[in-house]
Amino acid sequence: MVDANWLPDPSGTHELRYWNGTAWTEHVSDQGTTGVDVPTRELPLPGEAPPPPPPAPGDTNVLYYGSNDAGFAAPPSSAPAAAKPSWKDRLKQVADQGKAVAEQGKAKLAEQSAKRTEQWANDPTTLWAGESKGGATGAAGVAKARYRITADRVWIESGLLGTRTESVPLWAIRDMDIRQAVWQRGKDVGDLVLGLDDPAYGVQQSTFDLNAVPEPGRTSGQVVLDNIESPQQVYDFLAPLVSDARHRKTVERQSQYVHHVTPPQFPGAPQPAAPAAAPAPDPIEQLRRLGELRDAGILTEEEFAAQKAKLLG
């Protein structure tokens, strides 16, 4: 015999029907909701239905739900109770949640980076704009640094959690060099290294800097535009700008030097004394020289008389 339990309805009109241990009853259950089956002529109670077969040994599909105050077992809910997760499942769940949060953070950083890059590119003073295509973060779409070239400066904006913006005047760039690793050449990316006249003009760049806090100490005297696309094209674009800026700076310094050596004259300031005028020639001495020229036959008598008249007014 089969013990009292909720079992599949033999009539097929409901999900479950209560077997009281000896016969099928009018108590039914559909999706966890119990009710009483009212017999009709068309659908009588399955009183003549055969009893359920006893469970096979080791059958784990038959569940015993216990009995309630009405004397029959409580029906199961529409979905079986979930088994308690193991510690491995809980650990995996926490790891998946952490991964989801990290992905959301990366997406937010990538969105902010794209907006800043677009803002620089649309600035009317921008002649060229680019960004680092790799770095320590490994976050797809997140640039660890952005670069911009204007008519007189190279701008560097770095940091992920914070932002630090620095610039270097073009006239301070002494030389330029392209650095490319083997893996960079295949992607047409590389580092453009700008050597500076004075280390004081450098910026405090750090590859692993996330919060844009400057590190203590002196700068290296170099500015590195690292992992930029088409470094050779950027080099060719920047070279004439640097040459022109250095030429203008040289002219400016020379002008300042001349201005410093020759002090300006101010109204009311004492003027330097004019050089003394040459003394007027002595008429008597000139007449004597004219007489000597006449006696030597160099001047005729008429020429002597004309010069004498001119001296005497």
Side-chain angles (χ1 to χ4, degrees):
M1 294 297 293
V2 179
D3 295 335
N5 204 345
W6 286 95
L7 298 174
D9 186 2
S11 67
T13 57
H14 300 279
E15 290 182 356
L16 303 175
R17 184 177 292 273
Y18 191 70
W19 170 258
N20 63 8
T22 57
W24 296 101
T25 69
E26 71 276 14
H27 300 287
V28 294
S29 173
D30 293 288
Q31 297 183 354
T33 302
T34 59
V36 176
D37 190 11
V38 179
T40 63
R41 185 170 61 179
E42 292 79 10
L43 295 174
L45 287 176
E48 301 298 328
D59 188 355
T60 59
N61 293 324
V62 178
L63 302 178
Y64 177 73
Y65 304 107
S67 60
N68 58 15
D69 294 338
F72 54 88
S77 61
S78 58
K84 185 177 180 181
S86 65
W87 67 270
K88 290 183 179 181
D89 294 333
R90 292 196 297 268
L91 184 61
K92 184 178 182 302
Q93 183 180 9
V94 172
D96 291 342
Q97 291 175 350
K99 185 177 180 181
V101 172
E103 292 298 330
Q104 291 177 357
K106 289 180 182 180
K108 187 65 175 178
L109 289 175
E111 180 182 357
Q112 294 175 352
S113 177
K115 287 183 179 179
R116 186 57 175 161
T117 300
E118 181 181 2
Q119 179 182 359
W120 270 21
N122 294 333
D123 192 320
T125 63
T126 300
L127 303 180
W128 173 87
E131 62 183 20
S132 174
K133 293 298 181 181
T137 62
V142 181
K144 71 173 182 178
R146 286 167 291 276
Y147 311 110
R148 180 169 71 124
I149 298 175
T150 60
D152 59 346
R153 288 182 174 269
V154 175
W155 298 81
I156 301 95
E157 185 177 88
S158 57
L160 295 178
L161 304 181
T163 302
R164 181 173 77 246
T165 302
E166 300 176 273
S167 66
V168 175
L170 295 183
W171 55 260
I173 300 175
R174 181 184 67 252
D175 53 51
M176 299 188 295
D177 187 26
I178 295 177
R179 227 167 34 192
Q180 274 187 309
V182 175
W183 64 269
Q184 289 177 313
R185 293 174 186 171
K187 300 180 180 180
D188 193 23
V189 297
D191 303 340
L192 182 59
V193 184
L194 310 179
L196 307 179
D197 280 334
D198 190 329
Y201 297 132
V203 297
Q204 296 180 342
Q205 293 177 292
S206 174
T207 301
F208 299 97
D209 183 19
L210 298 179
N211 55 11
V213 177
E215 298 176 356
R218 295 179 59 83
T219 59
S220 63
Q222 289 184 340
V223 173
V224 181
L225 278 59
D226 68 314
N227 282 297
I228 60 173
E229 290 183 341
S230 305
Q232 185 63 53
Q233 294 183 11
V234 180
Y235 179 100
D236 296 338
F237 174 78
L238 186 58
L241 296 177
V242 171
S243 177
D244 181 65
R246 289 181 67 83
H247 173 72
R248 286 188 281 106
K249 190 64 175 180
T250 300
V251 172
E252 178 186 347
R253 287 172 174 171
Q254 291 176 346
S255 175
Q256 291 175 348
Y257 175 77
V258 172
H259 184 74
H260 176 74
V261 172
T262 305
Q265 300 296 328
F266 300 98
Q271 300 297 324
D282 185 4
I284 302 301
E285 178 64 23
Q286 288 184 322
L287 286 174
R288 186 182 64 78
R289 291 182 179 179
L290 287 174
E292 292 178 351
L293 294 174
R294 181 196 60 184
D295 294 342
I298 298 175
L299 295 177
T300 63
E301 190 67 36
E302 291 78 9
E303 292 173 341
F304 173 75
Q307 293 294 331
K308 180 181 177 181
K310 185 176 179 180
L311 288 172
L312 295 178

